[in-house]
Amino acid sequence: MSGRLQAHAAQLAEGIAELGLVLADETVERLLAFGELLLKWNKVYNLTAIRNPQEVITHHLLDSLAVLPQLPTAGCLADIGSGGGLPGVVLAIVNPGLIVSSIETVGKKASFQQQAKIELGLGNFSVFNKRVEQLRAEDLPGGAADGVISRAFSSLADFVSLSGHLVAGGGALYAMKGVHPAGEIAALPAGWLASEVRALTVPGLDAERHLVVIRRAVDGVG
Ligand SMILES: C[S@@+](CC[C@H](N)C(=O)[O-])C[C@H]1O[C@@H](n2cnc3c(N)ncnc32)[C@H](O)[C@@H]1O
């Protein structure tokens, strides 16, 4: 593979090792290929504020990979407000056993993701160009999702209100956040609880990152 990210391939490999992940060379090549697509099409599709190749590695690829150990490894995962496919495309690339549905309301961003799906040969990835609140659980491949994730989408309360109907019984919502969102956790809608708030370290990213896991109170956690 050639392209602007190739000069940063070693940084990606080191970051993957630092996260304790073991990925096949072919998988790492696919991650780089997705990063190249983001860089190539960003101007046309207005996908992300990040235009620097090194930041594509840290802010997009490694940030998305950092949550991997906390997520279900099989079943269905829905990514809400996925923009240029983050973290959904990355998670689909590294986990072929997971069926990933990506929900994005802006047509050109969804089109980019569909193109990435084709170019990267992602059979376990589907894109829905819809507002999440208009999507029914039965529209997802496999029905209600075992996990529903978002990054930079909304407050935790809005995430739960707009997307909670897509979570299967016993499943969870996963919100990728910056600083510890204590105030947002206190404002969660009735019937939902933050069962875990985990501080994450992302190699090369000098910023606070947290993953908030939210479950229905009836699932007996809290
Ligand atoms: C700040 S961007 C984050 C994109 C991506 N998750 C990331 O981290 O790079 C939020 C995205 O949510 C999408 N969005 C906003 N409201 C939505 C809704 N109700 N349903 C689906 N997508 C929505 C926007 O179009 C936008 O692409």
Side-chain angles (χ1 to χ4, degrees):
M1 195 195 74
S2 64
R4 294 165 66 200
L5 276 194
Q6 203 55 46
H8 305 279
Q11 188 183 7
L12 178 61
E14 283 161 21
I16 288 168
E18 220 175 295
L19 289 170
L21 303 173
V22 178
L23 302 178
D25 290 350
E26 186 196 335
T27 304
V28 178
E29 282 300 312
R30 268 191 178 170
L31 290 171
L32 288 168
F34 173 56
E36 293 288 1
L37 289 175
L38 275 172
L39 283 170
K40 178 176 173 188
W41 293 109
N42 198 16
K43 279 190 192 138
V44 178
Y45 291 104
N46 198 19
L47 302 166
T48 164
I50 288 172
R51 288 169 161 66
N52 174 316
Q54 189 177 352
E55 288 184 352
V56 169
I57 300 281
T58 53
H59 293 57
H60 286 335
L61 301 182
L62 292 174
D63 191 45
S64 298
L65 290 172
V67 297
L68 189 63
Q70 317 309 325
L71 300 180
T73 51
C76 301
L77 183 81
D79 179 15
I80 312 302
S82 47
L86 296 154
V89 169
V90 171
L91 298 173
I93 288 172
V94 297
N95 197 347
L98 197 63
I99 298 167
V100 179
S101 298
S102 177
I103 295 103
E104 170 53 53
T105 188
V106 172
K108 59 184 181 176
K109 294 181 180 178
S111 298
F112 165 77
Q113 291 189 44
Q114 183 61 26
Q115 191 57 31
K117 169 191 163 81
I118 293 165
E119 292 202 27
L120 300 170
L122 292 178
N124 61 332
F125 180 80
S126 308
V127 189
F128 294 83
N129 180 206
K130 272 189 182 255
R131 297 191 69 80
V132 62
E133 57 272 34
Q134 291 165 356
L135 193 71
R136 300 171 311 162
E138 53 267 40
D139 296 331
L140 297 174
D146 304 287
V148 173
I149 193 165
S150 72
R151 187 181 82 157
F153 172 59
S154 68
S155 68
L156 295 179
D158 285 350
F159 182 34
V160 171
S161 304
L162 295 172
S163 318
H165 64 288
L166 298 179
V167 183
L173 294 125
Y174 299 85
M176 295 170 67
K177 289 282 182 179
V179 293
H180 189 301
E184 290 186 35
I185 289 170
L188 279 172
W192 295 88
L193 298 166
S195 62
E196 189 177 351
V197 185
R198 187 177 282 257
L200 300 174
T201 303
V202 180
L205 198 56
D206 186 20
E208 273 190 61
R209 303 297 292 147
H210 287 88
L211 183 70
V212 185
V213 185
I214 302 166
R215 297 180 189 274
R216 289 186 182 88
V218 292
D219 287 334
V221 285

